[in-house]
Amino acid sequence: MSLVPETDYGTPASHATEQVALTIDGQTVSVPAGTSIMRAAMDAGIQVPRLCATDSIEAFGSCRLCLVEISGRTGTPASCTTPVAPGIVVSTQTEKLKKIRKGVMELYISDHPLDCLTCAANGDCELQDMAGAVGLREVRYGYEGESHTRQAKDESNPYFTFDPSKCIVCSRCVRACEEVQGTFALTIEGRGFDSKVSAGTLLDNFLSSECVSCGACVQACPTATLSEKTLIDIGQPEHSVVTTCAYCGVGCSFKAEMRGEELVRMVPWKDGKANRGHSCVKGRFAWGYAHHRERILKPMVRESIDQPWREVDWDEAIGRVASEFRRLQDKHGRLAIGGITSSRCTNEETYVMQKLIRGGFGNNNVDTCARVCHSPTGFGLKQAFGTSAGTQDFDSVEQSDVILVIGANPTDAHPVFASRLKKRMRQGAKLIVIDPRRIDLVRTPHVEAEYHLPLRPGTNAAVMNALAHTIVTEGLANERFVREFCDRDAFEHWAAFVAESRNSPKAVGLVAGLDPEAIRGAARLYATGGNAAIYYGLGVTEHSQGTTTVMAIANLAMVTGNLGRPGVGVNPLRGQNNVQGACDMGSFPHELTGYRHISDDATREMFEKMWGRPLDAEPGLRIPNMFDAAIEGTFKGLYVQGEDILQSDPNTSHVVQALSSMECVVVQDLFLNETANYAHVFLPGSTFLEKDGTFTNAERRINRVRRVMTPRSGMADWEISLAIAEAMGFAMPYRHPSEIMDEIAASTPTFAGVSYDLLDRAGSVQWPCNEKAPLGTPIMHVGGFARGKGNFLITEYVPTDERTGPRFPLLLTTGRTLSQYNVGAQTRRTGNVVWHDQDLLEIHPHDAEQRGVCDGDWVKLDSRVGSTSLRARITDRVAPGVVYTTFHHPETQANVVTTELSDWATNCPEYKVTAVQVSPSNGPGDWQKEYAEQARHSRRIAAE
Amino acid sequence: MSSEKLVVMANQIGRFFVPQRGIDPAAAIATHLRKFWDPRMRAALVAHLDKGGGGLDEPVRQAVLRLKDGLA
């Protein structure tokens, strides 16, 4: 094994179609117009010495090392900033250039510590490389004069250090922060000799600054100035493996850079088609949980949840699961057990899990955590377009002119995509944000939304109808698109519906608390601003009308013809890494892989033949239904893989009651999570670093996950499910996840062409990948919809049953923050806690003043179903009457207060609307104290 | 299962299908229940109907009748 090679072309690629031919060092080169001479030279295999240039950022021309000579032109222009021209003859190496470069390097090195042998970048330092490349042999100036070599290190960031003594002030970090990440946290402070990289003001260090720790600066740094602490600690990696991040639905590709089985660092892979070489704080740095001391590495069992855990071997644990599940089925019937697959696990693991449940348990009581996030997306888009998935690839945003973001907070939840979105906005695209909260995208450096509609939580469908009303009544519909690609009758019905006055901006403005003129303006911009794309998240789906709003979004895209080409589309931003894949793999109780209903005889019979087992034609229980059935007494056993339902699902007391009602709860996870407090068997899971498989991201991209270290518990997750299946008499003799993928491909038309071999060759593919599209499908519904004609559905606004009143006058909505991920099981066990060590309640100054609450005070949050206490953050990000919190910390348990109200079509919980009251508090409430004690008691492990 | 909760859920489904044009709402509601609800949930809803069906909106009541008669 070796390090995965990556070529740095020095400057970004030109996308011009016109070719320009020139001569470089005697070689004829033809490149797209606009290409720099530096990049053209690289194409010809000639590396011009450089320090301030790298191909992830625009050329800067400051280091004066990449100079060239051009016949017929005077001077020595920088090859990074000089574009090619037809017929020019370029020399990259002449006596004059050699002399200049050596002089430049001599100056750099005269102000650089000569500690190469003990430097973290030793062997991977561009300054070192360039000193060698220009033949530097002496520094005539000596090292005695004034220099920067004794400046103090900034070690404030948990993951990387900034050592100004090694900085050559090339500005690559500053430009990466601006151009790649779009945060503009860094600057060059001072002039001349005093110039230095600064993270904000003089008082700031990297931690206190605006820096979001995406790592783009570290990636861009040519020296050891910005270095990962793990690199400093361990040393240079000796091999690397390309794999896929296990955090959000962007699905970034990384090189796991290794020394043996020790992970040195995760470096974003330039060829990753989702992230194009960028990363965020989670994927880049927050992987330390894999070696956290709280990781459970041995299987454990116990008779009841008040007993301590007892470590056992795998045979005993697997045997216990099989015998308990069979006992429960014998006693309570075939339908008395079920399982939950995870959007954090691979496609192969998910497929095996649902196969175990359908074939081994003999029922369809299988669901996935996508139930509680994007299940309305699958249902809604299938009804409208015929496919349960987003329509575009992430590259598509580069061709958008108008971007409508509704119910999503990309800078926090999908940061790498947010950076691409912000880049497009800096190029001139217009932004519409529809969100109750003023998310960062509304106004961030060099980005400002044209419209922010801070709607009242729960009114998404009404607002989407009002946008459609404006488009239809003002004649802004794309008649040609509708006529050609959509069901005419459905359109006519829908157009008449949205044109009704109750859907007008004026009427809806009263319901949603919005200025009607802003609604009209946003609608006009979306309909007439050019390529318009919609990106949405859980702020759309997690409502009682989640599915309706997804359909309303589809209607908007269809009526304006914003489908079937780059730059447009309907794009669900999936919360977890494999939400799309978990749904694709047949995790829902009513459907098999590829979204084929379980009652479809042909599909079911095909699987019955393949698996050698009869399959139930009836849909099974969804997660919330499982809880209800458990409390009712008809559901007794549950196998939960990689999901912490106790912390993530609504109305925690209800979940506690459900779990406590079951006789055998099996949790497979990395840690003793909150659900495990109510479990009888614990099966230690493996991290993404420890297994092979695939994840499918939000753009339907199937990316390889590659094992870089041995599973610490001895078994990868897919192997555990196989062992349980075998113990229950349903053998699945796969030898490797690639064989599972082969079975998926053989049984699922949209995956028919997918294999590990293809993924290794192509890097990744987007489904459908089959005979018609052997390399996948970046854009869906080109020239027609998967279902035939696009289907306009009536999206009547129905107010949620969750109402404010005198007892609960405020509306709570929940969300995520950048540094934490979902229930925080992983990120709370990393350095990320420095940014977010507790959930806070955002409350408007007006509401805070009315209640006598000051910033940082403990407050009690009450709803109809429960109460919890947390600290307040006073901010006008939220409107009066609205409060907001995150759900990352079990000490808070935000879901203690959320209700079981759910989406009409899918039972996706209505996390985003809870009527609450806020009052001053002295600290954690009674429920929290009791819960903490229960958790402590439950997590005891008996001494051997 | 709590019939109160099932009634709320079924009525929610009804409120989507009733405004749709060109369909029989009761048939569409019944099909949705048939395709997405576990049999024990459907059985509980039918049992609730047998006890009078309190709280069920009329189109939903019709849909549950169809379920009971095996028409969905």
Side-chain angles (χ1 to χ4, degrees):
Chain A
M1 288 189 286
S2 59
L3 290 165
V4 174
E6 281 188 312
T7 302
D8 185 345
Y9 289 87
T11 63
S14 164
H15 298 296
T17 50
E18 183 197 345
Q19 289 285 305
V20 170
L22 68 158
T23 302
I24 303 177
D25 293 344
Q27 293 188 53
T28 302
V29 186
S30 182
V31 294
T35 302
S36 69
I37 289 175
M38 174 182 281
R39 190 175 177 107
M42 278 302 285
D43 274 352
I46 302 161
Q47 184 173 355
V48 184
R50 61 175 185 243
L51 278 170
C52 73
T54 186
D55 59 12
S56 61
I57 49 181
E58 295 297 326
F60 195 51
S62 80
C63 75
R64 313 315 295 168
L65 210 58
C66 72
L67 310 181
V68 292
E69 290 193 87
I70 303 171
S71 296
R73 293 189 191 179
T74 55
T76 51
S79 63
C80 63
T81 53
T82 307
V84 294
I88 59 172
V89 177
V90 177
S91 298
T92 70
Q93 183 80 345
T94 65
E95 286 306 315
K96 186 177 180 182
L97 294 171
K98 283 161 63 178
K99 194 173 174 188
I100 295 172
R101 285 185 192 136
K102 201 175 277 191
V104 168
M105 277 308 298
E106 198 175 356
L107 283 167
Y108 275 124
I109 299 302
S110 71
D111 192 9
H112 195 83
L114 298 179
D115 61 351
C116 290
L117 289 179
T118 55
C119 178
N122 188 15
D124 184 28
C125 173
E126 292 180 44
L127 189 67
Q128 196 178 47
D129 293 345
M130 289 307 110
V134 305
L136 186 69
R137 299 291 174 258
E138 62 173 342
V139 175
R140 292 166 295 168
Y141 310 110
Y143 302 97
E144 305 306 318
E146 194 178 354
S147 75
H148 300 88
T149 55
R150 289 181 190 83
Q151 296 187 54
K153 263 187 180 182
D154 178 349
E155 297 181 297
S156 59
N157 187 286
Y159 298 118
F160 60 85
T161 62
F162 172 65
D163 184 352
S165 69
K166 293 183 173 170
C167 181
I168 59 170
V169 201
C170 63
S171 293
R172 274 164 63 161
C173 55
V174 176
R175 290 180 286 139
C177 189
E178 292 174 2
E179 296 176 31
V180 179
Q181 166 56 29
T183 293
F184 294 77
L186 304 181
T187 189
I188 299 291
E189 174 187 291
R191 290 289 180 270
F193 188 78
D194 293 330
S195 299
K196 66 175 194 177
V197 171
S198 169
T201 70
L202 285 171
L203 298 174
D204 278 317
N205 55 30
F206 268 76
L207 187 62
S208 69
S209 75
E210 302 273 299
C211 168
V212 292
S213 287
C214 67
C217 57
V218 182
Q219 183 74 355
C221 181
T223 70
T225 308
L226 287 155
S227 292
E228 298 91 347
K229 288 182 176 175
T230 48
L231 179 82
I232 294 169
D233 181 43
I234 300 168
Q236 289 291 331
E238 43 79 28
H239 76 272
S240 56
V241 177
V242 173
T243 190
T244 305
C245 177
Y247 280 120
C248 79
V250 175
C252 295
S253 295
F254 279 88
K255 292 184 295 180
E257 295 198 336
M258 310 294 298
R259 179 152 281 281
E261 283 209 336
E262 185 170 24
L263 180 57
V264 176
R265 61 182 174 184
M266 294 287 279
V267 178
W269 190 38
K270 246 171 33 172
D271 288 343
K273 291 170 187 164
N275 56 319
R276 302 288 181 195
H278 191 34
S279 58
C280 80
V281 62
K282 294 190 283 284
R284 179 72 151 92
F285 297 118
W287 40 265
Y289 66 86
H291 292 279
H292 194 274
R293 60 185 167 76
E294 288 175 2
R295 202 100 182 246
I296 303 293
L297 301 175
K298 291 184 179 171
M300 301 190 296
V301 300
R302 59 183 172 187
E303 300 304 321
S304 63
I305 61 169
D306 56 355
Q307 292 180 348
W309 288 103
R310 182 169 60 84
E311 292 180 343
V312 295
D313 61 25
W314 276 107
D315 286 346
E316 184 176 344
I318 298 293
R320 172 71 72 90
V321 174
S323 64
E324 275 297 279
F325 281 172
R326 284 297 183 226
R327 178 184 71 80
L328 291 171
Q329 286 190 306
D330 290 344
K331 188 174 171 188
H332 301 282
R334 179 174 54 86
L335 305 180
I337 63 171
I340 301 175
T341 73
S342 175
S343 297
R344 294 179 208 168
C345 287
T346 63
N347 285 317
E348 293 76 2
E349 286 159 349
T350 307
Y351 178 85
V352 162
M353 181 83 171
Q354 61 93 31
K355 179 174 173 178
L356 161 65
I357 293 162
R358 297 187 200 280
F361 293 5
N363 64 45
N364 293 315
N365 292 331
V366 53
D367 207 359
T368 170
C369 46
R371 169 69 51 213
V372 300
C373 67
H374 264 289
S375 50
T377 288
F379 187 91
L381 295 185
K382 186 164 190 180
Q383 302 301 310
F385 302 152
T387 307
S388 299
T391 62
Q392 310 296 116
D393 58 5
F394 285 136
D395 286 351
S396 169
V397 77
E398 293 174 7
Q399 296 182 57
S400 296
D401 301 308
V402 177
I403 299 160
L404 192 162
V405 176
I406 174 169
N409 186 6
T411 55
D412 282 43
H414 304 90
V416 169
F417 171 70
S419 290
R420 300 184 72 179
L421 189 157
K422 288 192 290 186
K423 186 171 191 172
R424 182 61 187 154
M425 290 192 60
R426 293 196 301 274
Q427 293 167 345
K430 302 278 196 295
L431 177 68
I432 301 163
V433 173
I434 303 178
D435 199 291
R437 189 165 167 265
R438 195 182 66 238
I439 59 171
D440 280 352
L441 270 185
V442 172
R443 194 163 191 272
T444 193
H446 299 275
V447 165
E448 185 161 12
E450 209 77 6
Y451 294 96
H452 174 214
L453 307 183
L455 76 179
R456 184 176 165 82
T459 60
N460 284 336
V463 173
M464 299 314 280
N465 287 341
L467 294 174
H469 175 97
T470 305
I471 290 167
V472 167
T473 59
E474 295 189 4
L476 306 178
N478 186 332
E479 288 287 345
R480 185 201 59 77
F481 184 90
V482 171
R483 193 167 47 246
E484 195 169 347
F485 299 117
C486 301
D487 183 300
R488 190 71 203 178
D489 288 344
F491 171 71
E492 299 288 353
H493 291 320
W494 172 80
F497 157 73
V498 294
E500 291 175 30
S501 61
R502 64 201 163 96
N503 291 318
S504 68
K506 189 176 175 186
V508 169
L510 292 173
V511 173
L514 296 176
D515 172 11
E517 204 46 47
I519 299 175
R520 288 188 195 99
R524 290 168 190 148
L525 176 59
Y526 176 75
T528 65
N531 284 339
I534 300 177
Y535 291 86
Y536 71 90
L538 307 184
V540 161
T541 55
E542 290 176 345
H543 287 271
S544 60
Q545 281 206 289
T547 293
T548 309
T549 306
V550 170
M551 292 169 173
I553 286 170
N555 291 340
L556 270 188
M558 286 191 290
V559 73
T560 53
N562 278 307
L563 287 159
R565 64 181 188 278
V568 298
V570 173
N571 304 277
L573 294 169
R574 310 288 188 155
Q576 302 196 64
N577 49 321
N578 201 31
V579 172
Q580 181 69 57
C583 299
D584 300 339
M585 291 298 103
S587 292
F588 288 134
H590 66 276
E591 61 193 9
L592 291 155
T593 62
Y595 306 95
R596 292 165 295 171
H597 201 275
I598 191 73
S599 64
D600 178 66
D601 290 340
T603 305
R604 203 177 58 257
E605 284 164 12
M606 185 265 291
F607 277 103
E608 284 176 336
K609 195 172 168 189
M610 183 179 271
W611 296 349
R613 288 286 171 130
L615 299 180
D616 191 343
E618 290 284 357
L621 294 165
R622 300 161 168 178
I623 295 173
N625 312 146
M626 291 179 190
F627 296 156
D628 291 339
I631 292 168
E632 179 195 53
T634 62
F635 190 74
K636 291 291 185 180
L638 181 65
Y639 174 20
V640 191
Q641 187 178 70
E643 184 183 357
D644 193 354
I645 48 179
L646 189 83
Q647 194 180 333
S648 65
D649 285 38
N651 192 353
T652 309
S653 298
H654 182 69
V655 182
V656 165
Q657 192 186 356
L659 290 171
S660 305
S661 302
M662 293 185 224
E663 293 180 23
C664 182
V665 175
V666 178
V667 167
Q668 184 171 322
D669 213 294
L670 303 176
F671 305 100
L672 279 173
N673 62 17
E674 307 312 306
T675 306
N677 294 339
Y678 295 87
H680 307 86
V681 180
F682 185 88
L683 304 173
S686 46
T687 69
F688 73 111
L689 298 167
E690 298 159 32
K691 57 196 180 188
D692 280 300
T694 55
F695 293 148
T696 306
N697 74 356
E699 47 168 5
R700 296 169 280 104
R701 184 179 302 287
I702 306 161
N703 264 315
R704 276 281 275 120
V705 178
R706 293 183 177 89
R707 171 175 155 166
V708 296
M709 56 181 74
T710 307
R712 295 190 64 207
S713 69
M715 290 178 87
D717 291 288
W718 62 276
E719 294 173 306
I720 298 170
S721 299
L722 257 57
I724 294 173
E726 188 168 352
M728 294 184 77
F730 182 34
M732 299 185 209
Y734 307 111
R735 290 163 300 180
H736 188 268
S738 63
E739 296 178 356
I740 305 173
M741 179 53 80
D742 291 343
E743 184 172 311
I744 295 165
S747 60
T748 312
T750 44
F751 276 66
V754 180
S755 67
Y756 279 27
D757 181 51
L758 174 68
L759 295 174
D760 286 345
R761 280 186 281 117
S764 62
V765 292
Q766 290 169 268
W767 67 257
C769 175
N770 47 30
E771 206 171 82
K772 280 186 190 168
L775 289 177
T777 310
I779 310 282
M780 296 283 286
H781 315 300
V782 178
F785 288 98
R787 72 180 297 279
K789 294 287 188 184
N791 188 21
F792 285 89
L793 289 145
I794 306 291
T795 51
E796 187 77 64
Y797 167 59
V798 180
T800 172
D801 289 340
E802 180 71 358
R803 308 285 168 86
T804 53
R807 283 180 62 213
F808 304 106
L810 305 171
L811 283 179
L812 169 73
T813 187
T814 62
R816 302 166 188 225
T817 194
L818 169 67
S819 57
Q820 297 291 339
Y821 176 69
N822 204 273
V823 294
Q826 293 143 287
T827 45
R828 280 187 280 106
R829 292 176 171 98
T830 69
N832 281 22
V833 289
V834 75
W835 291 286
H836 186 92
D837 62 354
Q838 58 187 305
D839 294 317
L840 298 171
L841 185 79
E842 290 187 1
I843 183 168
H844 190 272
H846 174 77
D847 293 323
E849 187 180 348
Q850 275 192 333
R851 290 162 176 77
V853 171
C854 297
D855 197 60
D857 280 358
W858 279 95
V859 290
K860 185 159 167 269
L861 183 66
D862 285 292
S863 78
R864 291 183 176 89
V865 302
S867 81
T868 188
S869 292
L870 67 173
R871 290 185 186 276
R873 173 188 281 161
I874 297 176
T875 172
D876 63 359
R877 264 181 190 271
V878 289
V882 176
V883 291
Y884 167 89
T885 190
T886 48
F887 63 103
H888 302 305
H889 293 272
E891 293 80 13
T892 315
Q893 294 275 16
N895 285 315
V896 167
V897 300
T898 56
T899 74
E900 293 157 63
L901 287 172
S902 65
D903 173 53
W904 66 267
T906 63
N907 278 151
C908 179
E910 189 166 52
Y911 291 106
K912 302 298 184 185
V913 190
T914 307
V916 294
Q917 177 59 293
V918 174
S919 53
S921 159
N922 290 325
D926 291 342
W927 191 92
Q928 286 160 289
K929 290 175 188 166
E930 287 165 20
Y931 180 81
E933 177 54 25
Q934 194 278 341
R936 189 197 61 76
H937 190 72
S938 180
R939 290 191 174 119
R940 291 169 302 146
I941 300 174
E944 286 186 41
Chain B
M1 291 200 182
S2 149
S3 57
E4 192 182 346
K5 188 184 272 187
L6 295 176
V7 167
V8 168
M9 285 162 52
N11 284 343
Q12 280 184 292
I13 295 167
R15 283 171 201 150
F16 173 77
F17 284 109
V18 166
Q20 303 302 321
R21 313 287 160 83
I23 63 161
D24 173 356
I29 297 164
T31 301
H32 188 91
L33 293 171
R34 177 76 184 76
K35 287 180 76 173
F36 299 103
W37 280 30
D38 173 87
R40 75 193 89 174
M41 295 166 67
R42 300 199 305 262
L45 199 57
V46 170
H48 177 72
L49 181 73
D50 288 342
K51 289 180 194 165
L56 287 174
D57 293 342
E58 188 50 34
V60 180
R61 176 186 291 272
Q62 294 300 320
V64 182
L65 265 176
R66 293 177 75 96
L67 282 182
K68 186 180 176 186
D69 296 341
L71 296 176

